[in-house]
Amino acid sequence: MTIDFANPSEIKATIIGMANLAVRQFDHTRNGEIVLQDGRGSLTAEDRLIMSRISGHALVLGEQDIASSIHDLLFLMTTPFSSWPVSAFRTVGPEFSEVTLIEPVTLVPSMECRHLVAEGGNIDTAVEEVLFQNFRDALEQTARKEAPQAYTFIRGLISRNPLTDEAALIRLLDDAGFSALYSEVRGFYEPVHHTPGLVGQVIPCGYCGSRMATELSNGTLRCPLRQCRDQKPTLEGTPRPTSNGLLGAKAAILTYWVGPAQDELKIYDAAIAAGIPSVLYDKLDACDIFIDGHIGIDVKSYRSPIMLAQKFNRDGVGGLKRYRTQVLAISDDLIKADPDYIKTLKAHLNKDLGIEIMSVSTTIRRYVDA
Amino acid sequence: MRERPNIWSGPDRVNFLCVLATLLDETSLSAIPTVLSNWRSVLNHPSVGHALGVANLRGLGLDFATRQSLRHVVHEHNDYHERRDAGRLEPGEDKGVERRFKINPHPSKLNFTPQWGVVKPNDVTAAEDMLASVLADRLHRKPFADPSEAFEVSDKGNNYHASVSSTPSVPLPTGHDLTRVPRGSVRITWDDLLSEAQRLDAIDAASGGLVRGNWESRLRDGTGADKVELLTPDPKRSGLTPASVIELDGLRHLIGLPGAGKTTVLYLMASWLSHNGYRTLFLLPSIEVSANFIEKLWEYDIEASLLSGQAPTTRIRHMNRLSEGLATRAPGGYGVTRPTSRLMGSNCALASYVNSSIEFPHLTPPCASLRQVPSGQRRERVVMCPLAGVCGRNAAQRGLVESGIWVGHIMSTDARIWYPYAEAEIYYFEYIARTFDVVIVDEVDMAQAMLDQRGATILHLTGHANSFDDKLHKRILGRIAGSDNTIIRDPAVRDYANDAGTFGDFNRRLVTVIRELDRPIRESFKDQLITTNRIFSALCPIPNGASAKVTEKIMEQRWAYEAVWTENAKSALYSPIDDRITDPALEDLTFNEERVRKALEINKHDLDSASRAILSDMRNWVTASWNRDVDLVGSQIIERFANFMGIAPTGDTGQQLKVLLGATFVILQYLKMAPMMRNMISRGILDDTDVSTSPSAELSRLLPESILGRLSGVRYQYDEDAAGAPGVIGLQHVSFSSAPRMLLYRLHEMFAYEGRSGPAVLLTSATSYLEQSPGYHVPVGPDYVLRRIHSGSGWKNSQYSATPIPDPDRPGRFLRISGVPIAKRDAALCRMVDELIKNGDASPVSKAIRHNDVQDGIGRRVAFVVNSYKQVELVKNHIDRRHRGISDRVRAVVSTVPTGTTSYQYLTASQADGLSYDEDWDIAIFPMGALGRGVNIVFPDGPRKNQGMIGTIYFLIRPHPSTESLSFIQGIAGSESLAFDRAEFPAEQNLAAIDKLYMSKRGEIMEVVRRLLRHEIRMGRLGPLRTPFVADNMIQILQTIGRAMRGDRPAFVHFVDAAWAPRSALGDQDTSATSMLVAMIEILEACMTVSDPVDQAVYEELYRPFHNPMSRVSGLIT
């Protein structure tokens, strides 16, 4: 039967297929393979079918066929659907318009991409998930009793130090009494190269401290984290020399830990400053910030409130249900960009989840400053 | 491709040759093979001519370039007409044309007489007209499918069938304009290039981007003084003189000296040519370099498109290299792309409209093989894809229609223009030769060597790592038996697997035969090119002093025996199983029975019964599975055939027949499998190294034959153990076919005989001028030399040394690799590496990094240069095992990057420029010649920006092409073919004299080649061939050293293998016969002292930076 390429449900099905393709190709490359287009390469029959469907959506409206090359397609996935040259994807629905399936600088599947994979009924077995699980296992083995504290400490350490060096890392772990976990923590980092044009030095982001990436076309620097790129102006930190064996957090760690941590740390630091007892990543990540003995807070930074609603509709509130007061905090920048974000989110929730939904700054005002 | 006039067919086609010979005032066909060989020197000679007629005949497939092939068709013709005259033709066999010529089949005569009276028959007149006419292009006549109607998609090879009910109505593609004619000569002044540079700089400035070309500053400094000068030989050829114009007309040669900015000039020429509306093709060393070139042009809105081969294997290779390149920008290449990716997509848009659950053949899409019944009609017709005007997969082909500038690789010209983009069946080289204004071939010496490679190929059949047999086992049989038997769901794979099994079986049978031969016989065949013709020549020798008549008789007998043997073997192997179980007596003989009977003086009954018995035995042999049966039936075949020939089935003749039996079926089985290979490649089961890389028949017909003629056969090789028994027996298929390098020298006038003008062709390179080198020398001009005015003298500080390493196991001896038994080479290589890197900071490598040309605290890296990828892997694995401390700072250039956590330590040749951006390495290991031209490993930024990152080079192995390498022979065949093509014979010579000269030259070169094929190439044994051999190698060695001289830096070169200067290592004197270094110095000396002032000036510029340090190489005693 011929596919009706103009039908929105077919377009959505293609987007879910694309998300699966993005994750499949990502997993393939994490195994040391490269994205290839030949018969024995990384492209499965399913991937090719999705690529052809994208061509179908383009050609039905006489638009450019942009899906013949997997490389072009994966690159396109690093841009939001609202800027795609295929109108089907630009206009299919507001929940997709600002979504990028692949994070543009760290080049790992975005949170939204993983959500879409789950939405399509597929279990996400990304290497990074396995990596985190290995970390939790290592914690269990090396510091059984102290596992939750160790987890809290190490995630905090990495989130605050996306750029560090061997000596500093050892010192920080020693000081906290977790030196036994060095090799696991070191595994989250990799050596970094100097900033192009600045031999021997790396320019970190003035907000988060990550190594800034260079835009090859014009030489401008940008932070790998979406959260920092949303800040204006771009802020360059003090250059750091590469001579001490400088290490940077790996791309997936930046995307899934360091990025979201920017808001999490804001709340946590404010609470600590206010003298309120607080724990980051309580009970091995049951919630992002646990404050004042009863409040569990999760911070979310999905571009699309509709997609976030779908996630809650599907998964429920997860670990938050352990806490008496449950708060879902949304990045301020998202609300600034879309003042109706929370309204849209609530409108798309199937039922009242019994949690409070507010911006990060409101969270701080209400539960910390108050 | 041209239309084929319907004048004569089948055996009557030989009439065309008689007509041609008549036009040449000849009464015999004996010199026709020389004429049909398509030499310009022959066809331009006043006593010959008729190049148009020859081209038309070759286009019809009448390219009989050997006497043997000509005799064969004459026999066919005579036999046909004899049977026709006697009323014995088979039903439907009669072509309806009377005998036009009576031809004497005697090989030394071949004279013919017309068989008509006063009135010349119309068909003969038509043939005469045809030989003097330009034939029209053949049209493919395939329409585009009606998108509103249903059509069928099928691909027979892939067993794919599906239907499409409709597709969107989108614009159809525009086809190439075949009527365009070249605009004639082109003059580009130096000022034009400067203006172009300023224009590009202005575009950069306006764009506000940080990445700037700084084009003008590449040509002249801030004060307006030129940095680069263009020189040309003065009219009296007394030296080089400044020039202000590049005149593109006919065939020109520009030598761009290192650092002169040749690439800059090429970009500016591209910009100027595009701006002025010239259609131009740039042929660059690889598709990767072409992609870089195109992307640079696109930055300035210059329309350019990629010319690359579209065969699935070629396309996959290019796509993979692109992907590998992207993998240097992001892990696995995930999420990144480059502008030219869109020209190399692999997904077909049509797949989204098919109704089928079978996997769509994206790698072999059915663009021109759809089937549709037009509305209101009943008959189905083959149609083209209605999406061809917009689909992403064919973006490159469409781009070529629209772009004025084409960029690609020389081999990409030998591809058919894809049906949807031209109404005629035409190849790119023909389209270019007829319609383009300019063709620029960069790194032409490399292009020439690559073309030569296509003229002669070696395929390892068995007994060699990565032989065809080995690959079939690993990739098909092993896969099915082990990890994945799902692939046999595909019937094509199942058939191929069965064939692979049979092929392996036949290989084992032949290897067993060779192993069991008596030593003298085994040795006599060893390293020889074994052909059936050669064995029958040995079995039916012509006695010394035999008369012409006896000679002819024996030659005819040889032909007859060979026909009976080969044709029955083909029937035994190729007939479907259903036929095999029928009674062989009921089958027709597949050879020319009458001719065989006449040659062997045998009656019909005896021939029939002998032949059928042989066929029956051969079928039993093919299907036998037990060794005992194979031996038994094999002996029976040999006995029967020996009886048929009247020779002894035992002794030498019996053993020769055994070799014949084994070799025949290996070759036939290989030929049976060859057509399916591309299909297996498109499924990812085999790779394209298994596919013959010969030029297309279309190209071969337009070029002259190889001076060697056509030659193919099998060859076996082995080393004997101490007891004289053969070790591993390697079996190879060797073939020589054409002289493809001639494409470079013919393109500008390819269709001159049709009255068409051609493009101006400019050949450029830095290493295309070394007269002694058969492989790389380009004997044209030079017409222009591009030189940097203040080129620097960094080379003066270069230091070369012969630094053999004492063998720790044998005091007083030195580690040597070239010239020692293969089994000992690996160990010596590993010892060498140990000695170079052990002892940490005190090691030679560590010292080299710390002391050689360090600036601003930045040292340069080290290269270990070896001979093969296998040796790269050996050295890397050895370092990983024995020198773990440094293994993560070693980078290895390999053919396939292994997966795993250390994959970052490996890269393919197409990723090699990524080393420039990798700070974490000290040693790079690569095979000489693996890194492509145009791939630079330089500091990307900082105070040493654009200087060679590699400063010290250790040549661990002296080049020693083994017998499996044909490159030297290919170079000799190519250069001799070119020399003959460009020769000028005295005007008074007639065709017979030219023919004699040709045959004599051919015999001479053939003798050289046979000698080279027989023995491993060794310096000491080469005699007069030593200089050309060393010169060919020297080009590669100097290219490699040149990598360390980028940015006007000195190179520190160590010749480590004791074989570089074996006597010097022992304190004795070396000569050019013992040391390649001495031979190189002699060649460089000769260049420096050559008498021709222009050559002298060119050589001085090209080779002084190497001659100077080479002439004071330390450690060499002369």
Side-chain angles (χ1 to χ4, degrees), chain A residues 1-2 22 26 33-35 37-40 48 51-52 65 68 71-72 75 102 107 193-194 197 199 216 218, chain B residues 165 210 316 320 323 326 332 334 337 341-342 344-348 351-352 362-363 392-393 899 919-920 941:
Chain A
M1 210 179 78
T2 308
F26 178 73
E33 306 275 353
I34 62 177
V35 177
Q37 306 194 81
D38 67 1
R40 64 186 148 197
R48 287 195 173 276
M51 292 169 74
S52 298
D65 175 11
S68 174
H71 301 300
D72 279 356
F75 174 73
I102 298 172
L107 301 178
H193 289 164
H194 69 77
V199 176
L216 284 178
N218 56 19
Chain B
S165 47
L210 290 183
I316 287 170
N320 285 354
S323 304
L326 291 175
Y334 182 79
T337 192
S341 288
R342 71 177 183 80
M344 282 187 258
S346 74
N347 220 67
C348 173
S352 60
H362 286 277
L363 297 171
R393 197 183 186 285
T899 56
E919 297 170 0
D920 304 322
D941 48 28

Side-chain angles (χ1 to χ4, degrees), chain B residues 690-759:
Chain B
D690 306 309
V691 177
S692 162
T693 52
S694 309
S696 67
E698 291 305 310
L699 179 57
S700 298
R701 281 172 188 164
L702 281 167
L703 301 178
E705 299 290 319
S706 165
I707 192 107
L708 295 174
R710 296 175 196 174
L711 195 60
S712 74
V714 291
R715 182 173 74 157
Y716 64 78
Q717 296 172 317
Y718 56 82
D719 282 334
E720 288 186 342
D721 62 18
V728 176
I729 294 173
L731 200 61
Q732 302 158 356
H733 185 263
V734 183
S735 83
F736 293 89
S737 54
S738 58
R741 83 155 61 173
M742 228 63 76
L743 175 62
L744 295 171
Y745 301 89
R746 284 273 180 100
L747 201 55
H748 67 290
E749 55 178 14
M750 197 169 238
F751 297 99
Y753 55 76
E754 291 185 340
R756 298 179 201 262
S757 55

Side-chain angles (χ1 to χ4, degrees), chain B residues 55 317 457 580 582 644 694 774 816 867 872 998 1046 1066:
Chain B
R317 190 172 63 242
T457 53
R580 291 194 197 177
T582 60
F644 177 62
S694 309
R816 177 171 178 154
N867 248 13
V872 171
Y998 171 50
R1046 302 275 190 275
L1066 302 171

Side-chain angles (χ1 to χ4, degrees), chain B residues 484-561:
Chain B
D484 181 14
N485 60 16
T486 59
I487 57 171
I488 57 169
R489 282 189 304 219
D490 183 341
V493 174
R494 202 160 58 233
D495 285 347
Y496 206 75
N498 292 340
D499 280 341
T502 307
F503 181 71
D505 190 21
F506 288 171
N507 278 322
R508 287 187 288 280
R509 292 182 195 188
L510 177 56
V511 168
T512 306
V513 166
I514 295 168
R515 212 170 273 290
E516 291 172 353
L517 289 174
D518 292 343
R519 190 167 181 275
I521 289 277
R522 190 173 63 231
E523 284 284 302
S524 72
F525 276 120
K526 184 184 171 191
D527 292 331
Q528 305 278 346
L529 202 57
I530 303 170
T531 60
T532 47
N533 180 273
R534 193 173 175 130
I535 293 185
F536 280 106
S537 300
L539 293 170
C540 308
I542 296 170
N544 283 338
S547 67
K549 197 171 173 186
V550 170
T551 304
E552 161 65 358
K553 190 174 162 152
I554 295 175
M555 284 175 69
E556 202 46 23
Q557 284 172 351
R558 282 180 188 170
W559 172 86
Y561 289 132

